[in-house]
C-alpha cells in the first residue's frame, strides 16, 4: 500500500540509501514502495523497497529497514512452472537479523509484539555490511533491522510477488507488483 502518509517514510529511506553510498535517480525515488504488508503498523512491520530490475530471469531490489522494523515472515512458493524464488541478501549498511528454520537462537532481535504465531522461524543469523546469505526456494524467512536500521540488496530469480506466502493471513499480497 502506498499513500501520501508514507511519503515522508520514502524520503527517510532515500536518506538511508544515500548515507550508505548508493546513488539513485529522481525517477527511482518515485518508485520506492513503502509497504506495510496490510498490517497497519509500518514502524513495526514494513519495508521500503526499490525494485531495480525484474526480468524473466533475475530480480534486484534495494531495501531500507528503519530501526527495529520487521519484514514479515514468508516464503516463496514453487508453482507448476517455477521452482520458487531463490533469494540472496547482502547487507550494505546497518545490522540485519535474518530468521530461518532451525535451532531457536533468537537473542538480538525480537518477535513483534503480539505476533508470536506469525513468526515461527527463530534461528537467528546476524548480518553486517558485506555479509551475504542465499535462501533456497521454499525456505521460510523474516528480517529485522537492528537499532541503526539496515540497507540491503536482494538478488533473486524472477520475482512474482503473488508467490510470496506470508505466515500472517492478514498479509494477502506480496511486495510490489503482480506480473501476471
Ligand atoms: Zn523473501
Amino acid at each position: 500500500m502506498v499513500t501520501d502518509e508514507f511519503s515522508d517514510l520514502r524520503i527517510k529511506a532515500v536518506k538511508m540509501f544515500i548515507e550508505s553510498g548508493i546513488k539513485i535517480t529522481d525517477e527511482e525515488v518515485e518508485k520506492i514502495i513503502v509497504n506495510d504488508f496490510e498490517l497497519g503498523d509500518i514502524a513495526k512491520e514494513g519495508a521500503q523497497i526499490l525494485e531495480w530490475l525484474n526480468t524473466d530471469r533475475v530480480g534486484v531490489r534495494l531495501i531500507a529497514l528503519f530501526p527495529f522494523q520487521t519484514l514479515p515472515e514468508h516464503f516463496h512458493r514453487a508453482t507448476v512452472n517455477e521452482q520458487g524464488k531463490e533469494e540472496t541478501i547482502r547487507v550494505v549498511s546497518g545490522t540485519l537479523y535474518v530468521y530461518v528454520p532451525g535451532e531457536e537462537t533468537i537473542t538480538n532481535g525480537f518477535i513483534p509484539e503480539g505476533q508470536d504465531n506469525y513468526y515461527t522461524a527463530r534461528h537467528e543469523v546476524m548480518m553486517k555490511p558485506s555479509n551475504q546469505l542465499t535462501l533456497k526456494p521454499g525456505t521460510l524467512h523474516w528480517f529485522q533491522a537492528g537499532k541503526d536500521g539496515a540497507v540491503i540488496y536482494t538478488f533473486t530469480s524472477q520475482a512474482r510477488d503473488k508467490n510470496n506466502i506470508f505466515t500472517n493471513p492478514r498479509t494477502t499480497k506480496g511486495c510490489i507488483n503482480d506480473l501476471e
Side-chain angles (χ1 to χ4, degrees), residues 71-72 74-76 85 87 89 135 139 141-143 154 156 164 166 175:
L71 196 159
H74 65 281
F75 70 97
H76 307 286
K85 189 170 84 169
E87 181 169 1
I89 305 145
L135 300 164
T139 307
H141 55 282
W142 56 282
F143 309 144
T154 67
T156 66
N164 298 348
F166 287 83
C175 303

Side-chain angles (χ1 to χ4, degrees), residues 13-156:
V14 171
K15 212 169 153 243
M16 285 178 71
F17 293 150
I18 291 169
E19 282 172 359
S20 67
I22 296 167
K23 289 181 182 167
I24 59 172
T25 67
D26 291 344
E27 265 172 28
E28 288 168 338
V29 169
E30 295 304 313
K31 283 195 213 158
I32 295 170
I33 302 290
V34 178
N35 193 340
D36 71 352
F37 299 94
E38 302 162 271
L39 298 173
D41 190 347
I42 187 80
K44 189 162 116 182
E45 295 173 287
Q48 294 61 236
I49 302 167
L50 171 60
E51 185 169 84
W52 260 334
L53 177 70
N54 191 13
T55 70
D56 286 345
R57 297 194 176 185
V58 295
V60 179
R61 290 171 177 177
L62 183 62
I63 300 178
L65 293 177
F66 301 137
F68 308 115
Q69 196 179 28
T70 303
L71 196 159
E73 181 177 274
H74 65 281
F75 70 97
H76 307 286
R77 73 175 171 195
T79 63
V80 179
N81 301 317
E82 295 165 336
Q83 274 193 307
K85 189 170 84 169
E86 182 186 274
E87 181 169 1
T88 296
I89 305 145
R90 186 178 174 98
V91 177
V92 182
S93 66
T95 302
L96 182 76
Y97 299 107
V98 177
Y99 296 91
V100 290
E103 188 193 348
E104 185 167 331
T105 56
I106 181 166
T107 39
N108 293 291
F110 57 90
I111 291 166
E113 204 187 332
Q115 306 298 312
D116 295 63
N117 291 343
Y118 309 126
Y119 292 87
T120 61
R122 297 183 180 181
H123 184 76
E124 183 177 274
V125 181
M126 179 165 69
M127 295 182 67
K128 296 281 192 182
S130 83
N131 290 165
Q132 187 171 306
L133 176 71
T134 297
L135 300 164
K136 293 278 171 232
T139 307
L140 208 54
H141 55 282
W142 56 282
F143 309 144
Q144 187 173 72
K147 64 176 171 51
D148 300 320
V151 171
I152 63 174
Y153 296 117
T154 67
F155 306 101
T156 66

